[in-house]
Amino acid sequence: MAVDYTVIVIYLVGMLAMGWWGMRRAKSKSEFLVAGRRLGPWFYSGTMAAIVLGGASTIGGVGLGYQYGLSGAWMVFTIGLGILALSIFFSARIARLKVYTVSEMLDLRYGGRAGVISGVVMWAYTLMLAVTSTIAYATIFDVLFDVHRTVAIILGGTIVVAYSTLGGMWAITLTDMVQFVVKTIGVLLLLLPIAVIKAGGFSEMKAKLPTEYFDPLGIGGETIFTYVLIYTFGMLIGQDIWQRVFTARSDKVASIGGAAAGTYCLVYAIAGAVIGTAAKVMYPNLESADAAFATIVKDELPMGVRGLVLAAALAAVMSTSSGALIACATVANNDIWSRVRGIVKSPGQDEGPHDEVKGNRLFILIMGAVVVVIAIALNDVVQALTVAYNLLVGGLLVPILGGLLWRRGTAPGALASVVAGGLSVIGLMWHYGILANQPIYYGLLTSLAVYVVVSLATPPTDAAVLDAWRERLAGRAEEPEETPAPVTSS
């Protein structure tokens, strides 16, 4: 394993080096949080693909292929469909808004009264997303170094927190590009063909497995529909995804680069399902489907290649983890803490200029520590991820898409929709169980009904607010100037 260890160590040291390099570029809030809104199509598409294809898409996608065959691709496939839909229909308008968070968009659209509650919901989603990604380190480092779960989480989490805190979005973008290349080589170009060959080819796979393993809908229509609701719609509104859209150099880059990333996700989905199906032929009696990825890598790949593929899995986890972490910290600082600070500040008190990069860097460090602690205490990744996406989609999908598509939507309607949808999802998860489908079905219907009824029952949004909103959507409004960092004398 010495060669494999060397590959992994080089990869991890490279991640930290990019964090240090990113620190030298992140001199303003815009540079730190959204890479100065300067990413071109190659960087944009690579970083967008990296953020959505995490440990669940790699290890979990192979596991679903092991369990259901080719139809196990649907979870990751619906993620790709979400990125395609976002890029084709919404990303250009989102990029032109020149905001930092989803809650800022809601404030612009509804008149400054929707941000706090939506910020809390979005913070809970990004926090749990970061936690689930961090837990995945335990699986990978256990294969690599045979270390205790807690040590693995601390080791992986520390590296991600370090380069994210140092360089912000610039560091994360650079590491994501490396992770994108490593995943492409490790999973698509190496593991996929090797797995199929080791399993005897497609003819042997078909001969040894039941026919339902090759049924595109074998996983079940209801499951596919639920994946669409949770993941496709979740991709449309998540802060971690929007924050990548904000990095685009232009609305054209956001549309074309995002469409390329979405297409890549569709290919990645099919590859993961095929690898899992091949693993079922080679190891028909694994105790856990999620162990399929680690087993086939550990037992079937040659020295060196094994290290690269494990680095690919590590890259998948780190890209999602770092993206969720900076999104969580951005929401916590800009949507929650800044508003609370404004409320408790004495009337007439003037804070004076402050270093916004330093403040956001501090929040990444704090949120990173919180994420690691929760990840150590929590065991069930699937339940945590389900709670995160149910809250996101049930609470925020309707007011966000309603604000983009329906002029008559109002601030009271949006707030009522967030509260009703969020509480419905929580109550229904308690009643039916966290993994049940009913919470997201009924929660979405409740959110939609409340949004429409309350919006129609309240006065329309002020014309001046809508005019300002249209100016921002059209890209005719300038991004607000940042507060300059204080100048210190030596």
Side-chain angles (χ1 to χ4, degrees):
M1 293 285 287
V3 176
D4 298 323
Y5 291 156
T6 302
V7 172
I8 297 295
V9 169
I10 290 173
Y11 167 77
L12 294 177
V13 171
M15 296 300 99
L16 292 173
M18 289 181 185
W20 183 263
W21 185 90
M23 182 177 66
R24 302 180 65 179
R25 293 203 63 170
K27 301 299 184 183
S28 67
K29 180 181 178 181
S30 176
E31 296 278 355
F32 190 81
L33 295 182
V34 292
R37 308 189 196 274
R38 291 195 305 220
L39 297 191
W42 289 105
F43 268 80
Y44 179 84
S45 58
T47 191
M48 180 63 82
I51 178 66
V52 298
L53 295 176
S57 300
T58 303
I59 299 171
V62 171
L64 287 171
Y66 182 89
Q67 189 172 359
Y68 298 104
L70 298 185
S71 66
W74 273 106
M75 183 188 77
V76 183
F77 203 84
T78 55
I79 290 174
L81 292 178
I83 296 300
L84 282 172
L86 174 71
S87 303
I88 294 169
F89 299 112
F90 299 109
S91 62
R93 285 185 285 176
I94 293 170
R96 289 195 293 264
L97 289 174
K98 302 295 184 184
V99 295
Y100 292 99
T101 67
V102 175
S103 294
E104 287 181 36
M105 167 264 168
L106 292 173
D107 278 349
L108 281 171
R109 168 59 181 83
Y110 295 110
R113 289 177 289 171
V116 177
I117 295 178
S118 64
V120 171
V121 175
M122 189 63 76
W123 174 78
Y125 156 72
T126 53
L127 179 71
M128 295 311 296
L129 185 62
V131 166
T132 56
S133 301
T134 304
I135 291 173
Y137 296 132
T139 302
I140 299 169
F141 280 106
D142 178 56
V143 175
L144 285 173
F145 306 119
D146 192 25
V147 297
H148 189 270
R149 176 180 182 275
T150 300
V151 176
I153 289 173
I154 293 174
L155 177 60
T158 299
I159 293 171
V160 170
V161 172
Y163 73 69
S164 301
T165 302
L166 286 172
M169 187 58 81
W170 270 121
I172 291 172
T173 296
L174 291 173
T175 55
D176 276 355
M177 285 305 298
V178 174
Q179 290 156 0
F180 172 75
V181 172
V182 170
K183 280 190 287 191
T184 301
I185 296 173
V187 175
L188 297 185
L189 302 183
L190 292 177
L191 183 58
L192 174 60
I194 290 173
V196 173
I197 292 170
K198 292 280 188 178
F202 284 104
S203 59
E204 187 72 12
M205 291 163 62
K206 286 185 177 181
K208 290 187 175 181
L209 293 174
T211 55
E212 56 263 27
Y213 263 72
F214 302 92
D215 180 359
L217 304 179
I219 199 170
E222 184 178 354
T223 299
I224 295 171
F225 180 66
T226 304
Y227 284 159
V228 171
L229 284 183
I230 293 178
Y231 296 114
T232 301
F233 287 126
M235 293 301 106
L236 297 179
I237 59 175
Q239 169 67 26
D240 52 324
I241 308 302
W242 278 39
Q243 200 155 343
R244 300 309 171 101
V245 176
F246 300 150
T247 66
R249 185 171 60 203
S250 66
D251 51 8
K252 186 176 181 181
V253 167
S255 297
I256 296 176
T263 303
Y264 179 89
C265 293
L266 302 184
V267 174
Y268 200 88
I270 296 171
V274 171
I275 292 168
T277 305
K280 184 68 174 179
V281 173
M282 291 182 279
Y283 309 98
N285 299 311
L286 292 178
E287 292 185 4
S288 169
D290 284 341
F293 179 90
T295 302
I296 196 171
V297 169
K298 195 172 184 179
D299 294 347
E300 302 297 336
L301 298 186
M303 178 179 60
V305 173
R306 180 172 50 211
L308 183 60
V309 173
L310 287 171
L314 192 58
V317 175
M318 284 188 162
S319 57
T320 300
S321 181
S322 59
L325 177 59
I326 194 171
C328 178
T330 302
V331 171
N333 188 17
N334 291 267
D335 293 336
I336 300 175
W337 171 243
S338 63
R339 297 168 193 266
V340 171
R341 185 178 59 191
I343 293 172
V344 301
K345 189 172 62 175
S346 302
Q349 179 183 347
D350 184 9
E351 288 185 334
H354 59 281
D355 188 343
E356 292 184 286
V357 173
K358 183 179 179 180
N360 282 290
R361 186 173 279 136
L362 176 62
F363 265 84
I364 291 179
L365 186 61
I366 294 172
M367 290 298 105
V370 172
V371 164
V372 170
V373 170
I374 296 176
I376 292 171
L378 202 62
N379 285 315
D380 198 319
V381 179
V382 175
Q383 289 197 5
L385 195 62
T386 302
V387 170
Y389 273 100
N390 280 354
L391 280 174
L392 174 71
V393 176
L396 291 178
L397 178 68
V398 170
I400 291 173
L401 294 189
L404 289 169
L405 300 174
W406 191 38
R407 178 185 173 88
R408 188 59 180 81
T410 65
L415 287 170
S417 176
V418 172
V419 174
L423 292 179
S424 296
V425 165
I426 292 171
L428 291 166
M429 283 192 294
W430 177 80
H431 178 71
Y432 288 105
I434 289 176
L435 300 180
N437 293 328
Q438 291 91 335
I440 192 62
Y441 295 166
Y442 300 144
L444 261 178
L445 289 174
T446 301
S447 179
L448 177 61
V450 168
Y451 180 72
V452 172
V453 170
V454 175
S455 291
L456 292 175
T458 52
T461 305
D462 185 83
V465 172
L466 288 178
D467 287 342
W469 166 252
R470 283 193 294 270
E471 288 292 307
R472 291 294 281 268
L473 276 180
R476 292 190 291 266
E478 295 294 326
E479 183 178 358
E481 292 185 5
E482 299 177 24
T483 305
V487 178
T488 56
S489 57
S490 55

